[in-house]
Amino acid sequence: MKPIEQELKQLSVKRKVHLSLDNVFRAAALLGNPQNKLRFIHIAGTNGKGTTADFIAQLLEQSGYKTALYTSPHFISYTERFVINGKQVSSDRLGKLYKQVETKTKGINLTEFEILTLIGLIYFLEEKVDYVVWETGLGGRLDATNIVTPLISVITTISFDHCEFLGNNLLDIAREKAGIIKPGIPVIFFRQQPVVENLLVKESSACKSIYKVVNKGTGNFLQSNKRLALEAATILLPDNRRQLREISRKLKTRIKGRLQVIRKKPLLLLDSAHNMEGINNLVNFIKKKYGNNLMIIYAATRREEIKKIVKNLQQVAEKIFICEFRHDRAVSIGEYVDKYAISSPQLEFVPGRNMKSFIKKITGANKNICITGSIYFLGEVMMVLEQKPET
């Protein structure tokens, strides 16, 4: 692991989550307020933010615009979060940008995500991009990315996730996500559960923002996200409607771990479905396309609905292997058994010390496999599959 990666990773543990815009506004001012010199498409939601953002970026890129993409979290390297026209920032450049932010904002106790957001702002400004497709990290209203005034606000599906920060009911979560809606700025969002959709309409109207509601497609969630992205890009480039539609037909997501087929025969599928909505989408996709006898490999960070998630996965599983992995919020085998009361003959637990050898062994067997759960777990799996050296 490169020094910059180690430093940022340590920050994520030391400074945790800080839902406030005060520090990031203060820090941005010391950097010359780069957020006021760029053109943003701001994206919030529970699931589908990353792929929707990527599809919008590709539509703009292929229409001839230099387009930046800021997403989170990453699979293996922090460089994945900063992309311009499909190319990640280099580790060396990331290190220099980090030092620049740290030096100029000394005395402000910034979190990892706040620093990364500021890095994105100064990097994209230095590179003179035409557009920045800008994904929220957590929520929206108090998310560090919300210091921008975008050209358009985009909201994907809203469901339960990060309840400890955003609230324990759907309306509270929706209010946080709707916080990216700005006065007079167009808003586009998916058709939602009535209580959520009503709130989004109300917030848009209060801000005197033109809004558009987009129906989800009949295919998998990637197809729906592509539809939302096309509508957003069409609002930005209304004269390019026909060209954008043609580009859209050929798009495939560049974001890893979203219904990602690593191998077709036997199947090896990766999907970072970490919450109930994501798991439901994944289970429905597997049922339609692959049947109900896959080997499921799952690992989670702590969340209340783990028992329900495992029960849902059992619908399409011949067997489920539940793994431990390296992360400060990763669930241990003891927690699965004691805290979440998960037990079934269909399940097998894989201790963290055996996880990598287990992944190598099972993916080398003639079995149809789906690996799912925490994106941090999938990142570790990717390193095993790509045979990257241990860090």
Side-chain angles (χ1 to χ4, degrees), residues 232-340:
T234 302
I235 290 172
L236 292 167
L237 306 173
D239 296 336
N240 292 26
R241 184 182 299 270
R242 176 183 256 175
Q243 180 191 8
L244 289 168
R245 195 177 293 117
E246 286 300 314
I247 294 168
S248 176
R249 288 194 182 105
K250 300 173 185 176
L251 290 184
K252 294 183 178 178
T253 184
R254 300 173 297 193
I255 304 291
K256 295 176 182 177
R258 275 68 166 185
L259 297 183
Q260 183 179 1
V261 177
I262 302 292
R263 182 182 67 209
K264 289 186 177 180
K265 289 187 179 179
L267 176 70
L268 180 53
L269 176 72
L270 268 64
D271 189 70
S272 55
H274 60 283
N275 54 36
M276 279 306 305
E277 183 190 24
I279 290 293
N280 289 339
N281 288 336
L282 174 61
V283 167
N284 290 335
F285 173 75
I286 290 173
K287 279 181 181 176
K288 288 177 183 175
K289 196 166 178 73
Y290 300 112
N292 60 355
N293 62 345
L294 273 66
M295 295 289 176
I296 303 288
I297 302 169
Y298 172 74
T301 51
R302 295 181 190 97
R303 55 184 58 249
E304 290 303 315
E305 67 270 30
I306 284 178
K307 190 169 186 176
K308 290 181 181 177
I309 284 173
V310 172
K311 188 175 181 180
N312 271 18
L313 288 172
Q314 286 178 297
Q315 296 177 57
V316 291
E318 179 182 328
K319 187 158 191 171
I320 299 178
F321 298 91
I322 298 181
C323 297
E324 287 182 319
F325 68 106
R326 293 183 303 177
H327 192 273
D328 61 311
R329 291 190 290 114
V331 182
S332 68
I333 289 175
E335 287 175 301
Y336 283 115
V337 175
D338 299 330
K339 181 178 178 180
Y340 300 106

Side-chain angles (χ1 to χ4, degrees), residues 63 81 132 155 207 216 220 233 241 353:
S63 297
R81 300 182 183 223
V132 180
I155 299 175
C207 287
K216 293 181 185 177
N220 64 57
R241 184 182 299 270
R353 65 182 180 277

Side-chain angles (χ1 to χ4, degrees), residues 17 23 51 66 82 123-124 188 235 246 261 273 319 325 357:
V17 173
N23 283 351
T51 52
K66 187 175 184 180
F82 311 93
Y123 175 49
F124 299 146
I188 183 167
I235 290 172
E246 286 300 314
V261 177
K319 187 158 191 171
F325 68 106
S357 59

Side-chain angles (χ1 to χ4, degrees), residues 7-8 11 15 21-35 95-122 147:
E7 206 159 337
L8 287 166
L11 269 181
R15 298 190 190 171
L21 297 181
D22 295 344
N23 283 351
V24 73
F25 264 121
R26 285 174 58 211
L30 294 173
L31 293 165
N33 287 315
Q35 76 275 14
K96 289 173 184 175
L97 290 163
Y98 172 70
K99 293 299 179 191
Q100 188 177 336
V101 170
E102 281 282 87
T103 300
K104 291 189 176 182
T105 64
K106 202 168 183 180
I108 303 176
N109 194 33
L110 296 167
T111 66
E112 173 212 35
F113 187 72
E114 288 169 339
I115 287 172
L116 293 169
T117 299
L118 294 163
I119 285 172
L121 291 172
I122 59 175
I147 64 168

Side-chain angles (χ1 to χ4, degrees), residues 216-229:
K216 293 181 185 177
T218 54
N220 64 57
F221 69 85
L222 291 178
Q223 296 304 315
S224 294
N225 295 347
K226 192 188 292 188
R227 176 180 286 198
L228 187 65

Side-chain angles (χ1 to χ4, degrees), residues 40-42 148-154 180-189 203-212 235-236:
F40 296 91
I41 299 92
H42 201 186
V148 309
T149 300
L151 300 174
I152 181 173
S153 301
V154 181
I180 70 164
I181 298 172
K182 302 288 196 308
I185 304 299
V187 187
I188 183 167
F189 49 84
E203 292 294 325
S204 300
S205 300
C207 287
K208 297 183 179 176
S209 299
I210 296 170
Y211 66 88
K212 183 168 185 178
I235 290 172
L236 292 167

